[in-house]
Amino acid sequence: MPIDTTRPFLPVRIAVLTVSDTRSLAEDRSGDTLVGLLTEAGHDLAERTILRDDADHIVAQLHRWIDDVSIDCILTTGGTGVTGRDVTPEAVERVATKMIPGFGELFRWLSFQTIGTSTIQSRACACVARGTYIFALPGSTGAVKDAWNGILRDQLDSRHRPCNFVELMPRLLER
């Protein structure tokens, strides 16, 4: 997709939340991958944490970051599958102002190119929550790379044409 080099790059302040019952920050490869990709692209890591698969704790953390004016965007990794412990999409829906259904649809289409029909098990989703973007990604490093390289790298770049999520940020709270 085209990048308009005549436009300024505006770094996005991004928080990263890993949802996992088994990993610590020291073992969080998908979180590490996200941090590497977003900082390499020129964005700022605002904060990072890891939480167990518990919807109430995830919702509470999302609310803290949504209320923090220094955070523009939240990327979560993990908890988007179909097992009983996978509750990230439900937590995202609880804080959402507006869902962005095209994100999950496009993610699964991209993921299909890599893992075939196994992508059907992903409930990747996105929303706007009181002016903050939230993108919930699966917990594998491959899925994180697919989402970043195939969607988020361009949509979080203010120079991407014909449009991008960054240019909408000032208008997300309009009524």
Side-chain angles (χ1 to χ4, degrees), residues 21-122:
D21 284 338
T22 59
R23 291 187 208 133
S24 67
L25 281 174
E27 303 155 334
D28 180 18
R29 293 184 344 162
S30 59
D32 289 343
T33 299
L34 271 177
V35 170
L37 290 167
L38 73 90
T39 56
E40 180 182 308
H43 299 295
D44 300 321
L45 176 64
E47 206 169 317
R48 179 180 178 189
T49 195
I50 191 165
L51 292 175
R52 295 181 63 79
D53 292 270
D54 179 288
D56 291 336
H57 288 97
I58 296 167
V59 167
Q61 182 63 60
L62 293 176
H63 278 304
R64 280 191 290 279
W65 283 345
I66 292 163
D67 292 338
D68 185 337
V69 296
S70 72
I71 295 175
D72 302 313
C73 178
I74 301 166
L75 303 179
T76 75
T77 176
T80 62
V82 297
T83 72
R85 297 286 302 152
D86 292 321
V87 295
T88 304
E90 288 78 13
V92 168
E93 288 173 7
R94 285 172 52 185
V95 302
T97 306
K98 290 186 178 185
M99 296 303 294
I100 307 172
F103 175 81
E105 295 162 1
L106 181 54
F107 171 79
R108 283 180 285 281
W109 179 80
L110 290 167
S111 179
F112 179 78
Q113 314 305 309
T114 307
I115 64 169
T117 59
S118 295
T119 193
I120 199 75
Q121 297 177 25
S122 169

Side-chain angles (χ1 to χ4, degrees), residues 6 17 22 32 61 78 90 100 128 134 165 167 173:
T6 66
L17 170 62
T22 59
D32 289 343
Q61 182 63 60
E90 288 78 13
I100 307 172
V128 176
I134 302 174
F165 283 134
E167 65 192 2
L173 293 173

Side-chain angles (χ1 to χ4, degrees), residues 1 7 16 30 41 55 69 90 113 141 143 155:
M1 293 295 159
R7 297 173 58 109
V16 174
S30 59
V69 296
E90 288 78 13
Q113 314 305 309
T141 57
Q155 283 299 300

